[in-house]
Amino acid sequence: MSRVTLEGVGKSYGAVTVLKPLDLDIADGEFLVLLGPSGCGKSTTMRMIAGLEAITAGTLRFDGRDVTQLHPRDRNVAMVFQNYALYPHMTVADNIGYPLKVAKVAKAERQAQIEAAARKVDLTPYLARFPRDLSGGQRQRVALARALVRSPGVFLLDEPLSNLDAKLRVAMRAEIKHLQRSLGVTMIYVTHDQIEAMTLADRVVLLNDGAIQQVGTPDEIYDDPANLFVAGFIGSPPMNFLAGTATGGQFSAPGITGLPCPGTGQLTLGFRAEDTTVTEAGRFTGTVYEVEPTGEATYVVLQMGPHRVNLRCDKRFRPELGTELRFDLGAGQVLFFDTASGQRVR
Ligand code: ADP
Ligand code: MG
């Protein structure tokens, strides 16, 4: 069991800073997801926690103990990578037991631990098989069991599902969450997929350009985004944005007049497709640009001045292209951001 604390942990390569100093306290048994676009510094953060990459600023602690300089072998962490290569010439049992063999654990003891790890990921019937005779999901579970067999205090998973097809990814997602809950281990999980982050995490850390944008529960970052980046990154379809002007507590943009708002100057209104209601009395208006039925709902793309917005409507709703549509939003469903800085205005 381990609590992981980052105190101003940062990374530079020479003069190039790829990770600004991060402060983060990860609770024992927490499922923490590092989320962000490619190149934002997720893997670098993970590799520093694992000890595979030198920490160039700050202090890393496990259960309060300074491990900044500790060798990876002595950190009691296990890592599963996106490319979790299994040894093709070894059976499932030998693959799972490989870290124990390297650590010179005696054979009988090794066998018991292999069986225990295989049980946790439902691989018991497959121990004698070779990787080529397994499905993608089973191979993924072998990689997980190989990490589990060392009973690590901290589990690090870097995009472990990226190589799987969409259906399997969804199934494995539930398995990983279930496994984390049942073992009660601290898990730090890297992904660029916001749905994966939302579904798995106790807390999400959203990174961009090597800096934390927001830390919060999935509900917090979805409902209460700190800035335009967070608001636009989380959710599908992404949040609608309309740039406009605020004067005397009223916001105006093409298709909207007299919407109460905080602040003055150049603001951007943000709202989500699912919070809109099409109604003749609506304060917002636009023309129907395109209609997209998905089966469970119909998304209407509305042209409002230079902007296009998405409305989530009834699944049988089929407005004509080019017609005018009015809609409205509830009080708590309207967010404002400073257009220049991107920061939320409350
Ligand atoms: P992510 O996992 O979020 O996609 P990484 O942590 O792999 O991103 O990389 C973060 C940034 O660090 C990237 O911009 C990458 O180009 C940079 N980087 C990684 N390794 C080096 C290196 N050896 N020298 C300089 N820059 C590097
Ligand atoms: Mg990466």
Side-chain angles (χ1 to χ4, degrees):
M1 300 301 114
S2 274
R3 169 181 168 199
V4 179
T5 314
L6 283 72
E7 298 170 355
V9 167
K11 179 73 182 180
S12 304
Y13 292 101
V16 184
T17 300
V18 297
L19 204 66
K20 302 193 181 82
L22 295 185
D23 288 308
L24 201 56
D25 198 4
I26 305 164
D28 185 17
E30 182 171 4
F31 199 134
L32 185 104
V33 175
L34 292 175
L35 172 69
S38 180
C40 71
K42 306 181 295 294
S43 294
T44 303
T45 308
M46 285 284 259
R47 292 172 58 79
M48 289 194 297
I49 295 170
L52 302 172
E53 194 82 69
I55 293 171
T56 56
T59 306
L60 176 68
R61 296 181 191 279
F62 287 173
D63 290 330
R65 173 178 171 227
D66 186 343
V67 297
T68 313
Q69 305 294 339
L70 209 62
H71 193 276
R73 195 179 51 225
D74 303 320
R75 289 193 186 200
N76 192 23
V77 300
M79 190 151 170
V80 178
F81 299 92
Q82 177 179 347
N83 299 308
Y84 52 86
L86 301 178
Y87 301 106
H89 58 284
M90 287 186 197
T91 62
V92 168
D94 289 344
N95 266 286
I96 295 174
Y98 190 73
L100 301 175
K101 195 169 179 182
V102 172
K104 302 204 166 33
V105 174
K107 195 163 181 201
E109 169 69 17
R110 215 156 70 207
Q111 194 56 35
Q113 291 189 26
I114 290 168
E115 282 169 17
R119 246 192 325 273
K120 285 175 192 156
V121 294
D122 294 324
L123 278 174
T124 306
Y126 307 102
L127 283 170
R129 285 204 196 174
F130 287 90
R132 63 174 175 273
D133 301 323
L134 298 176
S135 71
Q138 288 165 339
R139 274 183 225 148
Q140 180 69 48
R141 293 212 295 266
V142 176
L144 284 172
R146 187 171 59 185
L148 270 175
V149 79
R150 298 169 49 205
S151 302
V154 183
F155 239 105
L156 306 174
L157 284 81
D158 192 347
E159 313 239 11
L161 306 183
S162 299
N163 288 350
L164 306 180
D165 66 54
K167 208 169 163 184
L168 189 53
R169 215 155 53 218
V170 172
M172 281 307 295
R173 200 166 75 193
E175 292 204 30
I176 287 178
K177 188 166 184 177
H178 190 77
L179 189 68
Q180 191 271 342
R181 294 276 183 260
S182 57
L183 298 175
V185 291
T186 309
M187 194 171 273
I188 307 176
Y189 186 106
V190 161
T191 181
H192 64 272
D193 179 340
Q194 53 101 12
I195 298 284
E196 217 169 275
M198 296 290 281
T199 51
L200 287 171
D202 291 319
R203 278 192 308 161
V204 175
V205 176
L206 183 48
L207 291 170
N208 190 35
D209 275 343
I212 290 183
Q213 303 297 308
Q214 191 165 354
V215 181
T217 66
D219 288 345
E220 283 164 359
I221 59 167
Y222 190 83
D223 294 338
D224 213 7
N227 58 42
L228 279 172
F229 177 82
V230 178
F233 197 84
I234 305 289
S236 175
M239 185 179 280
N240 295 306
F241 295 126
L242 293 172
T245 311
T247 38
Q250 304 277 300
F251 178 81
S252 304
I256 313 164
T257 45
L259 185 70
C261 71
T264 53
Q266 302 303 305
L267 297 188
T268 295
L269 165 69
F271 59 93
R272 295 204 183 272
E274 77 261 25
D275 292 332
T276 59
T277 310
V278 173
T279 160
E280 294 210 359
R283 293 169 294 171
F284 303 72
T285 177
T287 50
V288 177
Y289 178 77
E290 206 38 87
V291 178
E292 302 177 331
T294 64
E296 41 108 33
T298 297
Y299 287 89
V300 175
V301 184
L302 213 58
Q303 186 84 42
M304 295 178 71
H307 305 289
R308 282 194 196 127
V309 301
N310 270 292
L311 314 184
R312 189 180 196 275
C313 303
D314 185 84
K315 65 182 186 177
R316 298 283 173 246
F317 188 51
R318 294 290 187 278
E320 291 226 13
L321 300 187
T323 57
E324 192 197 334
L325 212 60
R326 302 190 76 87
F327 69 97
D328 218 313
L329 292 156
Q333 297 164 334
V334 173
L335 307 180
F336 289 97
F337 303 87
D338 183 273
T339 302
S341 71
Q343 291 305 306
R344 180 88 170 273
V345 179
R346 293 166 197 271

